[in-house]
Amino acid sequence: MNIETIVAQAGIGADSEKGSISVPIYHSATFRHIALGVSTGYDYSRTSNPTRKVLEDLAAELEGGCGGYAFASGMAAVTAVLMIFSKGDHLIVSDDLYGGTYRVLDKIFCRYGITASYVDTSNVEEVIAAIQPEVTKAIFIESPTNPLMKITNIREVASVAKSRGILTIVDNTFMTPYLQQPIKLGADIVVHSATKYLGGHNDVLGGIVVGATQELCEKIKFIQNSTGGVLGPQDSWLMIRGIKTLAVRMDRQQDNAFKIAKWLKERPEVKEVYYPGLPGHPGHNIISEQAKGYGAMISFKVKRKEFIERIINGVRIISFAESLGGVESLITYPAKQTHGDIPEEVRNRIGVTDDLLRLSVGIENADDLLKDLEQAMEGGRA
């Protein structure tokens, strides 16, 4: 089946006894066994829950992996993946990435002897140069990166990694499996902040991990069960419901984002626009080859810093809020919000400067969003 059908049909048939079209929510911490040595397949919801299992199987199917695992947040999912590694291991990580991932590596996992080098993974030569023989165990990629939308050639980097026995991990949050399937490009693990496009409505936290091989899936499952950061049944149901509309949401959001990106390019207040769907974007050709779309995230830099406050305080339809990927359009100031934990000198070096705004484009009417941005940029005069 095509992915549009898979997501719309998510969960149908899960309740074979009653025939419920909507997946039942199993609000049970424990399950009664039929007899000694005879189980229904479920015993304790930390280990497995029927509602969560539907979501996890769906995630694995969408990403083309052997198993999916649902966690209580995107950072819980990232943390579980990082727990695969041990003291002395070294990771290569995209230098332009979500501040929470940087924080957990720089402030927590470093205490356990896991080190990271931050490089521009869109440049495969930088990746190769950063590899430490016998020590580097994984390359962690965001593509597009957050927030500067740099594109990594996933197939090329994964090939380099495989030739050296290194894992390739891809954070696919911005793209979703509807647009990009990293495992098919050679990645070993895919991670999502499912709070974003998968849930799609800013009403549920969640994280997803999908492994490409049985060996990796067993490791992730062991960590999930042992540490217990699982997604609850109610939130699993909300996530399934959100995924059902993933295709139609992403189509609308992409269309809106392309119109807004082109409009921003012509605004006198704007000096640079970062959107991989624009032909002039340095990663446009690569993302056109490895994905079937460009996503709905736009970042842009303004010519004068005072425009930042004018835009943030002036928008009426677009909300000034953290997060992304919901049906509602949101605008964020990365230097002070999502990337505030990254040291200023690092932010400035990679380009996450005080003149940068990030826009998560929703499903509203594009003309209304353009008018909102216009009146905000013009100080409420439009």
Side-chain angles (χ1 to χ4, degrees), residues 133-151:
E134 309 299 327
V135 177
T136 301
K137 301 299 182 182
I139 303 170
F140 190 110
I141 297 166
E142 283 189 10
S143 185
T145 58
N146 181 6
L148 295 177
M149 310 296 158
K150 291 191 285 189
I151 305 301

Side-chain angles (χ1 to χ4, degrees), residues 6 39 92 147 159 207 210 240 251 258 314 327 332 342 344 361:
I6 294 171
S39 173
I92 297 170
S159 177
V210 176
I240 294 165
D251 285 344
F258 188 65
V327 295
T332 301
I342 297 177
E344 184 177 5
V361 181

Side-chain angles (χ1 to χ4, degrees), residues 333-351:
Y333 189 28
K336 302 299 182 185
Q337 293 179 290
T338 55
H339 294 66
D341 285 319
I342 297 177
E344 184 177 5
E345 64 274 15
V346 176
R347 293 200 311 267
N348 289 336
R349 175 173 54 79
I350 63 177

Side-chain angles (χ1 to χ4, degrees), residues 28-33 38-50 221 225:
S28 184
T30 190
F31 298 86
R32 183 181 181 186
H33 298 299
V38 183
S39 173
T40 62
Y42 298 94
D43 51 35
Y44 192 63
S45 272
R46 171 170 43 77
T47 303
S48 190
N49 176 279
K221 177 62 180 174
N225 184 48

Side-chain angles (χ1 to χ4, degrees), residues 57-88:
D57 289 347
L58 174 62
E61 183 178 12
L62 293 176
E63 286 288 4
C66 78
Y69 305 92
F71 293 84
S73 69
M75 284 312 305
V78 169
T79 297
V81 169
L82 295 177
M83 291 181 76
I84 292 171
F85 305 103
S86 303
K87 181 179 180 180

Side-chain angles (χ1 to χ4, degrees), residues 100-111 116 118 341 343:
T101 304
Y102 178 91
R103 178 178 58 216
V104 79
L105 280 165
D106 188 61
K107 303 299 183 186
I108 297 177
F109 279 93
C110 68
R111 302 203 313 253
Y118 300 90
D341 285 319

Side-chain angles (χ1 to χ4, degrees), residues 1 7 56 137 149 218 260 275 321 327 330 349 374:
M1 290 188 294
V7 295
E56 292 176 330
K137 301 299 182 182
M149 310 296 158
E218 288 174 1
I260 292 170
Y275 180 63
V327 295
L330 306 178
R349 175 173 54 79
E374 183 179 29

